[in-house]
Amino acid sequence: MKAMTVLFSTDSNSLLNGSRSYEETMKEWVKEYNLSKMVDVIETGTFGFYGKGVLFQVLPEDIYYLVSSIDDLEKIFNEHILKGRIVSKFLVEKEKIRPAKGMELKETRIVLRNAGLIDPENIKEYIARDGYKALYNALKMKPMDVIEMIKASGLRGRGGAGFPTGLKWEMTFKAKDSKKYVLCNADEGEPGTFKDRLILEGDPHSIIEAMAIAGYSIGADIGYIYIRGEYYNSIKKIQKAINDAKEYGLLGKNIFGSDFSFDIAIRPGAGSYVVGDETALMESLEGKAGRPRIKPPYPTDHGLYGKPTLINNVETFANVPWIILNGPDAFRRYGTEKSKGTKVFSLVGNVVNRGIVELPMGCTLRELIYGFGGGVANGRSLKMVQTGGTAGTFVKPDKLDIPVDYESIKDGISLGSGSILVIDDQNKAIDIAKKAVKFYMHESCGKCTPCREGTRDLYILLDRISKGMGKKEDIERIKTLSTEISDTSFCGLGQSINLPLVSLYDNFKDEFLELVTKIKPQNILKT
Amino acid sequence: MEMEKVEILRSRIKEVKTQQVEKGDMILSSLHLAQELFENSIPLEAAEAIAEELDVKIERIYELATFYSMYSTKPRGKHLIRLCESLPCHVVEGPQIEKKLKDILKIDFGQTTRDGLFTLEQTSCLGICGVGPVMMIDGDTYGNLTVESIEGIIEKYRGDRK
Ligand SMILES: Cc1cc2nc3c(=O)[nH]c(=O)nc-3n(C[C@H](O)[C@H](O)[C@H](O)COP(=O)(O)O)c2cc1C
Ligand code: SF4
C-alpha cells in the first residue's frame, strides 16, 4: 500500500453523479505532481450512501469528502493531498456513511463484506480477502457435507419467498439426472430494490464463487446468471469478473486440480417483472415469453430445459462463501430465532439518506429510517412505510419498533426484497393505491383472468374514487376485489396484490371514505 | 441501407451464437442486437433474419418482441426515453418530472416526436431508486432529476441530431 489512498465509488449511482470524471481528474493531478509513488487513486464498489455529488474516501485518515464540482476537488487536492490538511468544509460525517451512533454494533457486513473495500474489477483484491478460499475448501469436502453446512446455518432465500436454502440444495442434489443447472436470479424488478445490482457491481466474484460451490454441491457443471436487461453497467462488470476467473483457472476445467469443472454464462432479460418468478425466468432463459409454469413439478426436479435446477437470489448466494469460511454457527449468531443472518435493505422515498445498508435480521424500521436514513426528508412527517417492494405491505408509524424478519408478516410487516419505502404526509393514500395497482396491471403477464382483468377493474375503481365519483360501496370493494384476485391468481404476482391493497385499506379506510362521502356539486349532475 | 443492416445483424448473430450454451438461450440477446441496429425497434426483416439464423419460427420472435417491454415492433425514435413510474420515484416528485418532460417534448407516453428524435415511454422501477426520480435515455441513466435539470439533458440529445 502507498502512503495515501483515494477511493472513488463506481457503482451506478455514483457514476450518475459523475464519479468517473472526478477520479480521472484526480489521477491526472497525481501524475502531474509526480505523486504516483505516494498516492493511489482507485475505484471501489458502493459506500452505501448517496449525496448530491461525488463521494470519495481518503486513507489512512479514513475520512469521506463529498464534492459537487471539480473546483471543490481541486481545493481538497491542494490542501489535503499536497499539504496533508483536512478540508472540513467538504467532510461528510462518518455516521452518515457508517451507521449512526448507537447502531455501530449492529451493522454487520456479511453480504457486503467486500463492497466498498475492494476494487471489484480486480480479482487479486478479492483473492487477497480470502476470495475463492471457500471454493477451495468446499472442493475438499463431500458435496453433502457442504450442503449440511448451508442447512445448519439456517440461511433462507433472500429473493422474497424465504425458502430454506440448504434444503433446496439438498433436493437438487438428490434429483437423479446427469445434467443439472445452477441459476442466479438477478432479475431484481421489485420497485425500490437495488441491492442485487450493488452486490453484483461491488463484489461480483463472491457470486461467481458461490455459484461454483453450488455447482459442486448439487452436481452441475454450468451456471447461468439471468440479469435485468436494463442493468448494462452490471452486465459488463460481471462479464469481466467471469473472464478473469477463467483466466485464473477458478472457473473452467478441473478447478484447483480437482475433477470439478464449472462455467458461467450471463443472459440479459428484456423488461418484464414477472420473469423474476423462478419458473417464468426459466421460460425466458429458454427464449420464450416469460409466463410462469405450474408448480409442481418444482425446479429442483424439473427446471431449466426440464432438468433439475437450483435457483437462488444474488444476495442468497453472496452469503454462501462467508458461511463456508466462518462456519454455520458464526452465521447463526446474527438474526432472530427463525431468520438467521443479515438482510441488505434498500432505503428509498422521502428519507434524508437513501441507499443500502446491511443489518442483522430483526432490526426495526426505526433503526433503518431514523438510524441509517437520518429521518424523513425536508422536515416533513412520516405517513407510512411500504416494506418489501410493491408486492409488500404498508404500515403506519405505530409499527416502527417491531423487529423485521420473515416472521414479522404476522404483524403486518413484509420482508420481501428488503426495500423500505418511506412516504411522507404530502402523499395521499388513494394516489399510492393507484400507482401500486397500475404496476400490477402493467406487469400482469395475461396468462390468467383474475390477474389480467381484475387488476384493470381495480384500477378503474380506484380511478373513479380518486376523481370523487366513487360510491361508499366502492371502498369495501377495494378490499374484496383485491382479496378475490389474490385468492384465484395463478402465480405469485397476482397472488400478492392483497398485501399492499388490503393494508392500505385497513390503515387508511377513513381517508378513502372521505373521498366518497364529501358531497361535490359538480358530481351530482353526473350520477 | 436496410439490407446492409440486416446483413450486419446476421453476422452479429452468428458471432453471439458461438456463446450459445443451450438452444434458445441467445434469442433474447439477438433481439437486443436487432434493436441496437434498427433504432430501438425490430422490423420484420430483422425478425426474419433472427428466426432464420437461430432456426426458430418467426411467430415466436413476434411473441417475444411484443411480450417484453424493452422491445418494440413499431418504429421508435432515435433516442428512447424511459421514465420510471414506480412508487419510489413517484413519492419524490416523479409526477412533476413527468409533466415537465411531456411539456418539453410535446408528446404523451408511447408517442414519438415529429422529428423522430425521441420516443417517450414509462417503465417500472429501473433499480436506481437511490437517486430518484430517474429516467433512462438509451443506455444512460439520469438521477436526482429536477424540473430545472431535464431541459438541459434533453437539449444535449437534440444537439446530436444529424
Ligand atoms: C412475481 C414474482 C417476482 C419475483 N421477482 C424476483 C426477483 O426479482 N428476484 C429474485 O431473486 N426473486 C424473485 N422472485 C422469487 C423467485 O421466484 C424465487 O423464489 C427466488 O429466486 C428463489 O431464490 P431464493 O430462494 O434464493 O430467494 C419473484 C417471485 C415472483 C412470484
Ligand atoms: S397471476 Fe398475473 S402474472 Fe401470474 S400468471 Fe396470472 S396473469 Fe400472469
Side-chain angles (χ1 to χ4, degrees), chain A residues 425-454:
Chain A
D425 55 353
Q426 280 191 99
N427 291 282
K428 293 198 201 101
I430 183 75
D431 292 336
I432 301 292
K434 264 173 80 176
K435 271 283 161 195
V437 172
K438 197 164 177 207
F439 175 79
Y440 277 93
M441 185 170 73
H442 187 248
E443 297 297 341
S444 166
C445 80
K447 180 170 178 144
C448 66
T449 319
C451 168
R452 186 186 61 238
E453 305 297 326

Side-chain angles (χ1 to χ4, degrees), chain A residues 270-283:
Chain A
S272 162
Y273 167 73
V274 72
V275 164
D277 168 85
E278 53 193 20
T279 60
L281 188 142
M282 290 169 192
E283 288 285 299

